[in-house]
Amino acid sequence: MAHLKKNTRGAVPGLAVHFERKTDHHTNKEIDVAKTYLNQDLISDGSDMLSRFNERLNDVYCMKRDDVKALATWIVTLPEALSEVPYEQQSAFFEATKQFLDDRYGQENAVAAVVHYVVHYDETTPHLHYAFVPVVFDAKKERYKVSAKEVLTRHDLQTFHDDLDQNLKAVLPFYEQGILNHKTLPFENVAEIKKYNDQFKALKDELANVKENISAKKALLQVTDQALTEVELAEKQIDDFKQALSKNLFGKTVLKPDDLDRFKSVLANMKKATLQSQRDAADSNQALLKTKSQLAEVQADYQQLKDRYQTLQQRVREKQQMDYAMRDMLKNDYGIEKIPHSDVEARYVLYRLDHEQLTKSKKEATSWLATLKTARENSDSKIATTRLDKGIEQVKALINRIIELTRDLFKGPSL
């Protein structure tokens, strides 16, 4: 539904050309320039993206380093449920999304908001390109500065889709199904899905290489067969030539000794070439059989990975459905609209403690302690303070045990 990317200052001119379609010569050959008139620019101040970007940087502090992420871009695609609605409703969806992004990251920081409607040959889903300078206030130096790390925090990314979904449902009467459908993957599964996608692509590439190798072997066999045919034809021509030599009046063949030796040499060379061609053909056949065997193995791995990929997608859908059920139960049965993320992490730690799934890592145990303390300090926490206090004491005791075990391990046996 939405994808974020952080960009350096040097990437901005190229992004501006792509977003605003300022050229007919795109590196992406899938862009249909004949349809770019359908695009919609949601920032109509008479300026352009690059000018707005440079103007905003002049107003705030930004380190003079090439690796500084000075621009962030969100790509928000139209939900499938809205693909058949009138253009006016699609436009309202993107305008409401742009307003949400303005409110979240500051309208003064926005440098581009362009909607692309069906401008790729292989893509029919309209989408919004939203670009902004990630700016925060530096209280220590009393000035605004560029800091993607402080603006686009882990919490911001984890809550983005849910916040956008709730906002759109509040402002758009026709927006009911929402962006959080079965095609939206849970945050924690994205890395796993990407891993399988990468493996899937690698196997497809390997399969293509094997097929190409087979084609090359077949071509070699055709060349070898042609060589054998030419050798046999040459032998026949030599025989015909010998038979056609002029004869004397007594019916005997007139042939000089040198000519006979020359023809014998040619014939020997042709037979040698024939044997070599036959050996090459045998080797090619053996290589072809080996390649076919490799192809069968790759195809089997390909199918196995494809089945695992589909199984993983099914698990993701089931987990998503369970998530919906839990959200519905909390909202309609217990009146809880939203659970703080710190509560989610704290409940996971408490679950591990309650079921004695303890860690042996001091670093992980320390992070558990910080998680529980953060939840206890959150005034919106739904977890009982007594339960959090008990968990904190359990983690402290766990850390002490880990330290003692580590000390005994390095101390070694006493003499």
Side-chain angles (χ1 to χ4, degrees):
M1 164 53 191
H3 174 71
L4 172 72
K5 185 178 180 182
K6 302 173 186 177
N7 309 274
T8 61
R9 195 194 314 243
V12 176
L15 289 172
V17 171
H18 173 69
F19 289 177
E20 299 175 330
R21 298 288 190 259
K22 291 184 176 182
T23 177
D24 291 341
H25 305 286
H26 298 280
T27 55
N28 182 0
K29 301 305 180 183
E30 298 301 327
I31 295 176
D32 186 356
V33 296
K35 296 181 180 179
T36 56
Y37 72 94
L38 294 170
N39 296 344
Q40 180 182 8
D41 192 343
L42 301 183
I43 302 180
S44 54
D45 59 0
S47 181
D48 58 20
M49 174 178 168
L50 193 56
S51 299
R52 299 185 198 108
F53 174 75
N54 291 328
E55 183 179 350
R56 186 54 179 154
L57 282 194
N58 289 334
D59 294 338
V60 299
Y61 171 75
C62 183
M63 288 191 294
K64 306 295 183 181
R65 282 174 34 186
D66 294 339
D67 61 341
V68 172
K69 305 299 184 182
L71 184 78
T73 55
W74 275 106
I75 300 178
V76 183
T77 56
L78 187 74
E80 186 176 348
L82 300 182
S83 60
E84 302 297 331
V85 303
Y87 170 81
E88 291 75 16
Q89 291 187 2
Q90 293 185 2
S91 178
F93 168 83
F94 287 119
E95 289 176 358
T97 302
K98 189 259 184 186
Q99 185 60 52
F100 168 82
L101 292 166
D102 283 347
D103 295 340
R104 194 176 185 93
Y105 301 113
Q107 183 176 356
E108 67 279 6
N109 298 318
V111 298
V114 181
V115 180
H116 289 172
Y117 285 98
V118 197
V119 294
H120 292 73
Y121 294 110
D122 63 344
E123 180 180 290
T124 59
T125 305
H127 52 280
L128 166 69
H129 289 281
Y130 183 88
F132 65 98
V133 180
V135 174
V136 296
F137 182 73
D138 188 344
K140 183 180 295 185
K141 297 187 178 181
E142 297 185 348
R143 65 184 179 187
Y144 286 95
K145 68 175 182 179
V146 175
S147 177
K149 181 179 180 180
E150 295 181 59
V151 174
L152 300 165
T153 62
R154 181 185 178 190
H155 179 264
D156 178 77
L157 300 180
Q158 289 175 330
T159 59
F160 180 86
H161 282 86
D162 189 58
D163 291 347
L164 175 59
D165 186 58
Q166 296 300 324
N167 179 269
L168 293 176
K169 286 179 178 177
V171 299
L172 299 177
F174 59 85
Y175 181 83
E176 298 177 353
Q177 182 173 344
I179 60 174
L180 299 178
N181 51 41
H182 67 280
K183 295 186 178 180
T184 303
L185 302 181
F187 183 85
E188 62 270 17
N189 284 320
V190 172
E192 190 176 3
I193 291 294
K194 184 181 185 301
K195 178 188 72 175
Y196 281 102
N197 277 339
D198 291 343
Q199 294 179 5
F200 198 68
K201 183 180 183 301
L203 269 182
K204 289 180 69 175
D205 293 342
E206 185 178 353
L207 184 62
N209 290 335
V210 171
K211 288 182 177 179
E212 184 178 349
N213 192 16
I214 287 179
S215 298
K217 296 295 184 183
K218 286 182 177 178
L220 177 60
L221 283 176
Q222 291 176 353
V223 172
T224 303
D225 290 341
Q226 182 179 356
L228 286 173
T229 302
E230 292 175 355
V231 168
E232 292 173 354
L233 179 62
E235 288 180 330
K236 184 177 184 303
Q237 288 175 341
I238 289 175
D239 290 338
D240 293 343
F241 181 74
K242 288 171 62 178
Q243 295 296 327
L245 288 175
S246 60
K247 299 179 179 180
N248 60 16
L249 295 175
F250 299 100
K252 294 184 178 180
T253 301
V254 178
L255 186 64
K256 294 180 180 180
D258 292 343
D259 291 336
L260 181 59
D261 292 340
R262 180 168 57 86
F263 281 119
K264 284 182 178 180
S265 176
V266 170
L267 185 59
N269 289 335
M270 296 304 291
K271 287 185 176 180
K272 182 179 179 181
T274 300
L275 292 174
Q276 184 61 44
S277 297
Q278 289 173 341
R279 284 194 292 268
D280 290 343
D283 292 342
S284 297
N285 277 322
Q286 188 65 28
L288 182 60
L289 290 174
K290 183 178 179 180
T291 303
K292 285 183 176 179
S293 176
Q294 292 174 343
L295 175 61
E297 293 177 0
V298 171
Q299 287 177 326
D301 291 341
Y302 178 87
Q303 185 60 45
Q304 184 180 16
L305 185 61
K306 185 176 180 181
D307 293 341
R308 288 169 60 191
Y309 182 82
Q310 292 174 345
T311 301
L312 178 64
Q313 286 186 317
Q314 179 62 31
R315 284 170 48 203
V316 168
R317 285 193 290 268
E318 291 173 355
K319 290 181 65 176
Q320 192 70 43
Q321 291 171 357
M322 180 62 70
D323 180 65
Y324 294 153
M326 293 298 295
R327 287 172 182 265
D328 182 75
M329 179 182 69
L330 290 172
K331 179 179 179 180
N332 295 306
D333 296 343
Y334 297 97
I336 299 176
E337 292 285 344
K338 188 174 182 180
I339 298 178
H341 182 71
S342 58
D343 270 18
V344 176
E345 293 185 333
R347 289 180 186 277
Y348 173 73
V349 172
L350 292 172
Y351 176 87
R352 295 282 298 271
L353 294 173
D354 291 344
H355 293 78
E356 297 185 356
Q357 298 178 5
L358 306 180
T359 180
K360 296 181 180 180
S361 167
K362 179 184 175 184
K363 181 178 180 181
E364 185 177 10
T366 304
S367 71
W368 286 7
L369 183 61
T371 297
L372 295 178
K373 288 183 176 180
T374 299
R376 186 176 62 179
E377 294 169 0
N378 189 348
S379 59
D380 295 329
S381 175
K382 308 298 182 183
I383 307 175
T385 305
T386 54
R387 190 181 181 198
L388 289 171
D389 289 339
K390 179 182 176 182
I392 290 173
E393 294 304 319
Q394 286 179 287
V395 174
K396 287 181 178 178
L398 175 62
I399 293 173
N400 290 332
R401 286 201 301 273
I402 294 174
I403 294 174
E404 290 176 1
L405 289 173
T406 305
R407 186 184 300 119
D408 292 341
L409 180 64
F410 283 97
K411 184 186 299 182
S414 58
L415 297 177

